[in-house]
Amino acid sequence: MEKKLSLPLTKEDALDLRIGDYCFLTGEMYVARDAAHKRLFELIEKGEALPIEIEGETVYYMGPSPAREGRPIGSAGPTTAGRMDKYTPTLLDMGLRAMIGKGKRTPEVYEAMKKNGAVYFAAIGGAGALLSKCIKRSDIVCYEDLGAEAIRRLYVEDFPVIVVADSQGGVLYKDIE
Amino acid sequence: MREIDVSVVTEAISEMCISVNHELSEDMRGALTRAKEMETSQTGRQVLDQLNENLKIAGEEMIPICQDTGMAVVFLEVGQEVHFTGGYIEDAVNEGVRKGYTEGYLRKSVVSDPIERKNTGDNTPAVIHYNIVSGDEVRITLAPKGFGSENMSRVFMLKPAQGIEGVKDAILTAVKDAGPNACPPMVVGVGVGGTFEKAAVLAKQALAEPVGSSTDKPQWAADLEKEMLDKVNGLGIGPAGLGGSVTAISVNVKSYATHIAGLPVAVNICCHVNRHITKII
Ligand code: SF4
């Protein structure tokens, strides 16, 4: 099923989505990958405030190539989500509603998604030029020193994704024996 | 003796870094177009359409095909009649990478130390494999490698008794584990024989071979390529791992002599953004 959705996703939207749904997202999302997750997690462990809102938000696991003059961003496809799994259940418990990446997650992440009514989308890996065209604005929010790994805020229009894990425990990726 | 100023190497590498990240080789482009015709799943066809569209946008608008513009792997085959002048060749190669990645708006993905992990800011150093060959030419192959797929690569130290069946199992194991992480459809580079590290280098070199060509190899290797491409595609992982009949575009095998007691097998997985370019100076 094809759906057009606005970001931030509502709780109801997240609960309604099912694996295989092909969605076009419009609105704002955060970008964070390995190094940024590590820093956020260190703050959480110390009980300190985070530089970004987590509740109800969407995070895109991505590290773009630099933007040419006059463009908001360079190539901008998803990175492997599994590397963030160590941190993800905590963020889901804090209210993170949607994630965009590629590849399988751990059972702990799927469990935490069920518990919190969250959704995991895949964007097409290696389609960074195409996805870049859907990104209309990109601002660095913090951790600029991390270069391509800084936390960003994006505004996207009709950003194509597919639901690969839903809030009911459904997972689209097959286990291959 | 032929003198070559190392600045020529720097310039060549810089240009190659930029072009290889915006345009795939003709064999890869052709294979991705054909993949669309071979794919049976609806989602798979949709993904392949996106990938072909992505290649078009990348070339026309100069946006890298993938944001992971890789760690630069350089194979430098230097004719023994060549004398480099004007500086140290390794510095010249790294200068080319620095220049290409900076001027070409490519992502800097290299950290100076695997534990401390500080980004070097210019994508250096490259991983350089030198080979002394006959003649007076320098053959440079640049193959930037993304790590979504590199992380899924494996070396297996098989026993000789495991033979060709063991090699087949090794390939299937690596591809299954890679699944959606390696951005399928993949290209699977396989190195058989040599030592632990030789097998890995062969597998990496196999990725730079033109897809679908089986020239200059033993018959068993050519047969293995065909059989394993069918088997891998039979796994059903499909484009982007969302299910389908095209999991790999090509399986490329390279082999070398080995020890009486061993059968090393390396499987270097590459995604559909299998970038390689060669230039002869
Ligand atoms: S595995 Fe390949 S296509 Fe996928 S993100 Fe990495 S470099 Fe890009």
Side-chain angles (χ1 to χ4, degrees), chain A residues 22 33 63-69 71 74-78 80 102-104 124-130 132-133 148 160 162 164 172-173 176-177, chain B residues 22 43 46-47 50-51 53-54 57-58 61-67 104-108 148 151 176 180-181 183 235-237 240-242 272-273:
Chain A
Y22 202 93
R33 50 172 292 155
S65 66
R68 284 183 182 267
E69 284 82 26
R71 296 190 189 161
S75 194
T80 305
K102 61 163 168 126
K104 294 177 188 171
I124 303 307
L130 178 109
S132 157
K133 302 286 285 175
I162 182 161
V164 283
L172 189 62
Y173 294 127
I176 312 260
E177 289 317 319
Chain B
H22 291 87
T43 315
Q46 223 167 347
V47 171
Q50 286 195 2
L51 297 184
E53 175 68 16
N54 184 62
I57 295 172
E61 305 199 25
M62 287 303 278
I63 305 173
I65 304 164
C66 180
Q67 75 290 337
Y105 295 88
L106 304 176
R107 198 178 79 183
K108 287 67 173 183
N151 280 340
K176 278 185 211 164
N181 289 7
C183 292
L235 293 174
I237 296 169
L242 299 172
H272 56 86
V273 191

Side-chain angles (χ1 to χ4, degrees), chain A residues 113-165:
Chain A
M113 285 175 59
K114 253 163 75 178
K115 182 167 119 203
N116 296 293
V119 59
Y120 169 43
F121 299 104
I124 303 307
L130 178 109
L131 293 167
S132 157
K133 302 286 285 175
C134 306
I135 299 173
K136 304 301 171 186
R137 221 171 52 230
S138 162
D139 300 301
I140 291 184
V141 179
C142 57
Y143 305 153
E144 194 162 2
D145 61 301
L146 294 179
E149 296 202 64
I151 294 187
R152 292 164 185 270
R153 188 78 170 157
L154 304 185
Y155 179 78
V156 301
E157 274 174 20
D158 289 328
F159 189 88
V161 291
I162 182 161
V163 178
V164 283

Side-chain angles (χ1 to χ4, degrees), chain B residues 183-262:
Chain B
C183 292
M186 315 169 194
V187 176
V188 185
V190 184
V192 184
T195 47
F196 181 78
E197 86 289 0
K198 177 71 180 176
V201 173
L202 287 172
K204 174 92 25 175
Q205 285 170 326
L207 289 176
E209 288 185 336
V211 298
S213 100
S214 293
T215 41
D216 287 343
K217 43 187 88 177
Q219 191 56 42
W220 66 262
D223 293 344
L224 184 68
E225 291 180 341
K226 284 198 197 67
E227 181 183 342
M228 292 318 292
L229 182 59
D230 283 347
K231 286 220 163 95
V232 163
N233 285 336
L235 293 174
I237 296 169
L242 299 172
S245 52
V246 182
T247 299
I249 294 166
S250 184
V251 177
N252 300 348
V253 178
K254 274 179 95 70
S255 65
Y256 195 73
T258 191
H259 188 275
I260 48 173

